Amino acid sequence: MVTLNLQNPNLMMVAASFGFGILTLAQIFGPLSGGHINSAVSLGLFAAGRTSLVKTVCYTLSQMLGSVFGALFLWSIFGNNWPAARAFGSNSWDEAVFNGGQVWFAEVLGTMLLMFNVLSTVDIPTEGAGPLGVFPIAMSVMVAHLFLLPIDGCSINPSRSFGPALVAQWAGIPGTYAHQQPVFWFGPMFGAVLAAVIYEYGSLKPENFAGAKDMDTAIFQANKRKIKPHKRLSTEQYDQSVGLHSDSVDSAALELSNPMISSPYEGSTGLRVQQVVLPLANPPPLPPSVQHHTTKSYEDFDEEDL
């Protein structure tokens, strides 16, 4: 929003402001509440089974209230005289250039891009996002703004469009933002739900993390696969290893029975004795759970085996 105080803010400035703004907010509120700052994304997460209906409703009401307060803050700071006034950042489009169907479809595409990124980041928190954290989500917001800013100012978030439009009406700022509001609600919400359904029930969801009910479970599963696998012997290799152990025991016994053995250690009798660490002549058998997995990869182990 700070770019709106400039006479001619360029496209990249506005897109970067939104992208890095999302990055900052998600980093702050992510650990507290999951970083729900977009009502369309919250609805998409509900459709994907990642949050409950009660939480979704509470998130949406909080987002709308926050949007109104944000627009009120802008009104108190800048008043009604903005050099690049668009009704406190309200979304709208030129009806002489675009129709409602075109804008709706563009909002669907932009929101689907964001929703896909959110779900993939949530599902693979350490392997997909890793040290980048919420950065991929912020970059998807920036890319969506680069695409949608010339069309309608880029909503991809119904609550983001709601607050500025409401406060602009209170301030008496004329514009088309009021009667165009339904497009900025149904477009992003439809796009988020469609992306969630395609991701959850299509081929985009990673198989390795299917069934993770929460972030802690997903992180555990990701970390388990990042542990360096130990080398596991096949049954034939194990038998050969047992044979080598037996040979080592026999060789050590012969060396100890030889009085002329050379060793750096000498006892009180003057006999030089070599220090030998004897392996077990008969190693214990492998546990049944390990025998069952000797020819499988590390990722196939159950949590109990680890």
Side-chain angles (χ1 to χ4, degrees):
M1 290 301 164
V2 295
T3 58
L4 294 180
N5 195 40
L6 301 177
Q7 290 289 347
N8 296 300
N10 62 52
L11 191 65
M12 191 64 197
M13 289 176 63
V14 180
S17 297
F18 275 95
F20 287 107
I22 294 296
L23 176 65
T24 303
L25 292 175
Q27 188 68 29
I28 295 173
F29 296 104
L32 300 177
S33 63
H36 287 256
I37 52 181
N38 186 323
S39 54
V41 171
S42 296
L43 180 63
L45 290 172
F46 168 73
R50 310 307 169 87
T51 186
S52 66
L53 177 60
V54 174
K55 286 186 176 180
T56 302
V57 173
C58 292
Y59 285 141
T60 302
L61 294 176
S62 300
Q63 292 153 0
M64 294 173 63
L65 186 63
S67 178
V68 172
F69 272 105
L72 287 173
F73 292 156
L74 292 175
W75 188 16
S76 64
I77 293 171
F78 296 104
N80 293 7
N81 301 316
W82 287 33
R86 286 200 62 178
F88 309 114
S90 297
N91 293 113
S92 62
W93 70 88
D94 187 351
E95 296 178 344
V97 179
F98 300 104
N99 59 46
Q102 292 173 313
V103 176
W104 178 86
F105 184 59
E107 287 289 336
V108 168
L109 295 179
T111 310
M112 289 181 70
L113 170 67
L114 173 60
M115 194 70 227
F116 281 137
N117 213 317
V118 169
L119 286 171
S120 62
T121 302
V122 169
D123 273 0
I124 318 178
T126 57
E127 287 190 353
L132 294 176
V134 296
F135 188 77
I137 298 176
M139 292 302 97
S140 66
V141 171
M142 187 175 73
V143 170
H145 277 76
L146 289 173
F147 164 52
L148 289 169
L149 277 172
I151 300 174
D152 60 1
C154 186
S155 173
I156 64 172
N157 183 354
S159 54
R160 171 258 180 277
S161 301
F162 171 75
L166 180 62
V167 175
Q169 281 189 306
W170 292 347
I173 299 176
T176 59
Y177 47 84
H179 74 271
Q180 293 177 349
Q181 273 293 297
V183 173
F184 299 119
W185 278 86
F186 293 109
M189 292 171 68
F190 180 83
V193 172
L194 180 60
V197 171
I198 293 175
Y199 178 90
E200 190 70 18
Y201 305 104
S203 59
L204 295 179
K205 184 177 181 180
E207 294 293 336
N208 290 339
F209 299 93
K213 299 298 183 182
D214 51 37
M215 180 67 79
D216 291 337
T217 304
I219 291 176
F220 169 76
Q221 292 176 344
N223 282 334
K224 186 173 72 172
R225 286 164 175 79
K226 290 173 75 73
I227 298 175
K228 184 178 180 180
H230 297 285
K231 183 179 181 181
R232 299 193 177 275
L233 300 178
S234 64
T235 304
E236 182 179 353
Q237 292 173 328
Y238 178 75
D239 293 338
Q240 293 176 357
S241 176
V242 173
L244 291 176
H245 283 306
S246 300
D247 294 341
S248 300
V249 173
D250 296 337
S251 300
L254 289 174
E255 290 179 357
L256 287 176
S257 65
N258 188 352
M260 303 301 295
I261 189 171
S262 176
S263 172
Y265 300 98
E266 185 172 355
S268 59
T269 59
L271 179 62
R272 298 169 64 85
V273 181
Q274 184 174 359
Q275 185 181 22
V276 179
V277 179
L278 297 178
L280 293 176
N282 296 313
L286 293 173
S289 60
V290 178
Q291 289 180 359
H292 178 69
H293 293 286
T294 51
T295 59
K296 294 185 178 182
S297 63
Y298 182 77
E299 286 79 3
D300 293 331
F301 273 65
D302 296 330
E303 296 176 10
E304 291 78 6
D305 297 331
L306 297 176

